[in-house]
Amino acid sequence: MQARWVVTALVLLADPLRGAAGGLIAQTTAPAAWQVTPASVLKSTLRAAVAAQAHYRVVTGSYADAADRLALPPTPGVRIEILYADAAGWLARATHQARPGRSCVVFAGSLGDREPPRTDHDREMAGEAGIPLCDWMP
């Protein structure tokens, strides 16, 4: 019985909407509105590519070496390139015509001796598989 009380107390303390007395705390600010930006469009496109590549690999046993093989819906102004792909891993870059010289990159799987891709402008290296990383896009 004592262990159950401890778990309940931890759950109440971990809930950010509950105060010390267990009541709800009123939200004092409105959530920020989401905006469509070139970076958000590129990240969304690369997330779709991650999912499509996972499906492609299940079906074919290897990752697609060209974006057109993934049957991704076209996004105006966006270009996606598969920079490398084999049975174990892949990497890609996406660019948006509204932000020339800037890019977002992603990789998944094992890249062997290859390093993860870098963004075009900031030269930042993607650090986590399946998570798109973008240049700063003013």
Side-chain angles (χ1 to χ4, degrees):
M1 184 71 171
Q2 186 177 14
R4 183 175 176 202
W5 181 84
V6 170
V7 171
T8 303
L10 289 174
V11 169
L12 289 176
L13 290 175
D15 187 343
L17 295 178
R18 295 188 182 276
L24 291 178
I25 298 172
Q27 185 174 349
T28 58
T29 60
W34 185 79
Q35 294 182 349
V36 175
T37 64
S40 68
V41 170
L42 292 176
K43 284 182 179 182
S44 179
T45 299
L46 288 175
R47 286 185 194 109
V50 168
Q53 281 281 36
H55 176 76
Y56 189 91
R57 185 168 189 247
V58 167
V59 172
T60 68
S62 186
Y63 291 108
D65 61 0
D68 60 346
R69 294 185 179 167
L70 298 175
L72 295 169
T75 304
V78 172
R79 180 172 183 234
I80 184 167
E81 296 175 85
I82 306 298
L83 303 172
Y84 170 78
D86 66 11
W90 64 280
L91 48 100
R93 172 180 42 242
T95 56
H96 196 290
Q97 71 180 17
R99 295 295 186 268
R102 312 270 174 165
S103 67
C104 294
V105 293
V106 70
F107 74 96
S110 173
L111 301 179
D113 293 340
R114 298 180 186 281
E115 70 175 24
R118 293 182 180 270
T119 61
D120 290 346
H121 185 267
D122 298 336
R123 303 299 301 153
E124 293 290 330
M125 183 186 296
E128 191 172 344
I131 307 298
L133 175 72
C134 295
D135 282 319
W136 182 72
M137 295 191 193

